[in-house]
Amino acid sequence: MFMSDLQLDSASRAERSVAVSVRGVTMDFGSGSPAVKDASFDVETGSFLTILGPSGSGKTTLLRMIAGFQKPTQGTITIAGKPVDADPPNRRSIGMVFQKLALFPHMTAAENVAFPLKMRRTNPAEISGKVEKFLNLVKLDGYAERRPHELSGGQQQRVAIARALVFEPELLLLDEPLAALDRKLREEMQLEFRRIQKELGVTTINVTHDQREALVVSDDIIVMDQGLIQQHDRPVGLYRAPNNLFVASFIGVSTFIDGTLTADGLKVGDLLLPGSATPEATLGAPARGAVRAEQLRIGAGPEALAGCEIEMDGKVEDVIFEGERLIYVVGCERAPDIKFQIYHHDPHSFDIFEIGSPVRIGWHGKDMKIFNHDA
Amino acid sequence: MNNPTVDRTRFRYPLRWRVMDSLEEGASLIWPRSLSRHTGWLLLAPALLLVGILVLGLVQIAESSLHTLDTSTYLPSENYTGENYLTIVESATYLRILWRSLLGAALTVVFTLLLAFPYAYILVRTSSALVRKGLLVILFLPFFIGQVVRAYGWLIILGNSGAVNEVLGLVGVEPIRLLFNYPAVIFGLVQYMLPFAVLLLAPALTAIPQEIETAAGSLGANWLQSLWYVVLPMAKPGLIGAGLVVATLSLTDFAMPAMLGGGSQDFIANAIYDQFFRTANQGLGSALALVLVAIGSLIVGLVFMIFGAGTLGMGAKK
């Protein structure tokens, strides 16, 4: 059922217009391997795309090229149907929220928001109307006269986003603006960004290293590593069907099992573990299986593991308390090198296993993804 | 490996720390820990002492400014009188000198800041380490040449048979008198003040994050708009600080008006010098000196009142 959803989506996708088109874009700073290698993708009009990757993956460079702060060594970027390769940033109709926000400290919140309109020589009456409207949109009515240093971190974020949107750009770029906020505020602002984006329907490209943020806010996610696009998919697709080992390990918590790929599954020593191999995985080659922490089952005896094709005896080696859940770290005699990480979400039975308790763990064969792995 | 006696995993107490330890020990003998509450005052004491002596001197000058010169004995008069101040106010010459000094200081501030700002901006923003080093060397070079020597150098270069007139002569221009006029004095002052202004502006510009200018650009500002609406307002503390220093130094300058003005373009300092060392009229010289102190203090006070001492970038960032 889920797959058919995706197919329906992609069918209707073709009819939608493309706001940003990136074709064969490469950025080579001339030191070592290129920062971005041959990146190509489209962003649908009105959608929210997140470029997700660790630091040094090239995600910020890619964003800076779209913004026009850096010129790609190769490739073409098209915004709203118009190639922008020759345009400087101020001619690209792009609103950008910077990592450190870059609010103008000598201007009030309202003046900050008015700035892009003033630069476009909008008449004063129109400026004040729009500033009021956008301060209202970001829920900052009553803060117009405050200077940035008189605002809280979240309020400064709101000023920055109003300033980036007030001139109704074709494209909104977010350069990890939430990275410096504490977790609670960050999660609140993620939802705010999404609400504002949906309300205005502005095409948005967000850059982050926070997988949770990417999953929460995005319509589409591009995962990058070492300058290469690893996968471009909807959040659910990305989570359920990672393309490769990098995507599988970067998103979610998984236990990895090394072995050799056979027709019946992953062979680890004298164990044969069933699983679903990616198309790229070759038979007989070294492979690595990944099972997500929420797909592993744990119980005192076999009855808790109904339907699991794979079962093993083990011993709890560590219990990590994370508030809303526990992570059991389990070691098994039959697979001595592997530390299984298993989520336990039931708050009524948090204390059933202690360190050293004998347990039985298991999983469904289809839940283990098997990838090529050059050991 | 080559030296087996050195154990690389062992923590070695840094020599610097050892030196600091012995210094601290010595300090605690002179200034016991129980007095540490007053350490701030101790550190301020030398500065306060110097300012105190200056104030004493000022009081003495104030006292002598209240005596006129008795021309029959060439001694200061016995009785107190405000006549010296009356002389200054009623003399067209002194008023002209006052006005010339004030205008000179103002013009020097304007021209110096106009020239220093782009220099400081490029110094701070250039991505080339070579350009930055070059600009710094050029900036510090004049500091090694004293003001008088530099003024003398300008006499040679700008003189009637100097390098500039020689070059003009090559293209058929008759020698022009470039020296001993007001523009020459202003020129000399600007040239002298430029490094000070750049040094005071550079930290203020460094404090403006590059990202702010990038943001202004992405929001639609061209470089001129970005300069006018963002960089200049944010550089205000540096501009005021540099302007203030240049203004007070120019207002009280002696060498440039004396040498490049050739006696025809006296500033207040030159007039004071004449009273003390030429006509030996200590009273009038003292009165002129106090007028200069008053004008200088008034300017500094006004700037602080209008912009607040905080705009110089001192104290808590508000």
Side-chain angles (χ1 to χ4, degrees), chain A residues 69 90 94 98-100 102-103 105-107 116 118-120 149 163, chain B residues 211-212 214-222 225 229-230 233-234 318:
Chain A
F69 301 132
N90 57 349
I94 282 174
F98 289 82
Q99 195 162 23
K100 287 173 190 148
L103 295 177
H106 58 293
M107 298 184 196
K118 173 70 189 150
M119 294 306 108
R120 287 169 173 74
H149 68 83
R163 185 180 71 171
Chain B
E211 204 185 50
I212 288 261
T214 312
S218 86
L219 292 167
N222 57 36
Q225 287 172 316
Y229 287 99
V230 177
M234 286 184 74
K318 266 279 154 214

Side-chain angles (χ1 to χ4, degrees), chain B residues 220-299:
Chain B
N222 57 36
W223 73 269
L224 197 65
Q225 287 172 316
S226 166
L227 179 75
W228 186 250
Y229 287 99
V230 177
V231 180
L232 279 179
M234 286 184 74
K236 205 172 80 178
L239 288 168
I240 292 169
L244 215 50
V245 168
V246 171
T248 44
L249 285 180
S250 317
L251 188 65
T252 55
D253 197 60
F254 175 81
M256 289 299 168
M259 296 179 74
L260 297 181
S264 68
Q265 306 294 335
D266 279 0
F267 276 29
I268 308 177
N270 308 94
I272 296 168
Y273 178 87
D274 286 349
Q275 288 312 319
F276 273 103
F277 299 106
R278 292 227 170 116
T279 52
N281 190 341
Q282 263 195 44
L284 190 55
S286 300
L288 280 167
L290 274 188
V291 168
L292 181 56
V293 169
I295 292 172
S297 311
L298 195 70
I299 292 172

Side-chain angles (χ1 to χ4, degrees), chain B residues 49-59:
Chain B
L49 198 69
L50 281 176
V51 173
I53 292 168
L54 205 66
V55 170
L56 272 182
L58 264 182
V59 169

